[in-house]
Amino acid sequence: MEQIDLLLAEKLLKISAIKLQPDMPFTWASGWNSPIYTDNRKTLSYPDVRNFIKVQLSRIIMENFGDAEVVAGVATGAIAQGALVADTLNLPMVYVRSAPKDHGLENLIEGNIKPGQKVVIVEDLVSTGKSSLKAAQAVKDAGGEVVGMVAIFTYEFPVAAEAFEAAGVKLITISNYSAMIEAAVKTNYIQEGDVETLKQWREDPEHWVPNTLNLD
């Protein structure tokens, strides 16, 4: 049986939730040049992929964070998946905003977390880990106990691994950057020669310069 991380990576590439352009890099909002762009919200439009992700996230939670009492989706990309997972596990669900509302009660968390409740956080994508861990801190500030975080995909940045370890938050993802590269080669999405470029980017994405920008 094919590994789950490879299987999901193939699915994400097939529906263009992940796009690879080593020779024509994307520019992220941060200003970084990147050979990859990921938008896991696209998975919601494909029931088979959506359900596969729901089942796998639920399985990971049951196997690793079985004492969770609340599911928290991170806005906006993981709100829908958080709701799907919460429904599957028959657990209460909240979602965490990136910033408090600018009106009304100015909530940062929508829904109710009781003091001391064990919360598992659902993310769609982990890059540097900053926004994910910000959501975890919001849950803690609301009185919840973060038992762990699950996500669809991670870029596996070293800085993210360090940040999660420092914060004491266990992260488990369905798929990852390494599996994606393997799946992309297997399906002829990229050539073997692109592999080293993709690996170099992951090691230092902030300072990576694509070959197309190298001048003699």
Side-chain angles (χ1 to χ4, degrees), residues 138-210:
V139 169
K140 294 176 183 178
D141 292 343
E145 177 187 343
V146 177
V147 296
M149 184 179 300
V150 297
I152 297 172
F153 187 82
T154 174
Y155 290 125
E156 297 181 299
F157 290 152
V159 65
E162 294 170 4
F164 274 90
E165 183 176 359
V169 175
K170 183 176 182 180
L171 169 69
I172 303 178
T173 66
I174 306 174
S175 192
N176 54 67
Y177 193 79
S178 298
M180 182 277 302
I181 292 177
E182 186 176 344
V185 171
K186 175 185 174 184
T187 59
N188 296 314
Y189 192 107
I190 59 172
Q191 304 302 311
E192 287 284 355
D194 295 321
V195 172
E196 186 59 32
T197 297
L198 292 169
K199 289 181 177 179
Q200 289 175 352
W201 173 78
R202 178 180 56 189
E203 292 307 309
D204 190 9
E206 185 176 3
H207 302 104
W208 179 75
V209 178

Side-chain angles (χ1 to χ4, degrees), residues 26-86:
F26 302 95
T27 301
W28 285 6
S30 61
W32 292 2
N33 293 305
S34 172
I36 182 173
Y37 185 78
T38 305
D39 182 3
N40 286 325
R41 286 168 292 195
K42 286 183 179 292
T43 63
L44 299 173
S45 298
Y46 299 85
D48 59 328
V49 181
R50 183 183 70 213
N51 289 329
F52 180 86
I53 290 171
K54 175 190 70 176
V55 168
Q56 295 305 322
L57 289 176
S58 299
R59 176 189 60 79
I60 291 172
I61 291 171
M62 288 188 292
E63 292 179 354
N64 298 274
F65 311 117
D67 57 346
E69 300 171 290
V70 179
V71 173
V74 180
T76 59
I79 293 177
Q81 285 296 345
L84 290 167
V85 168

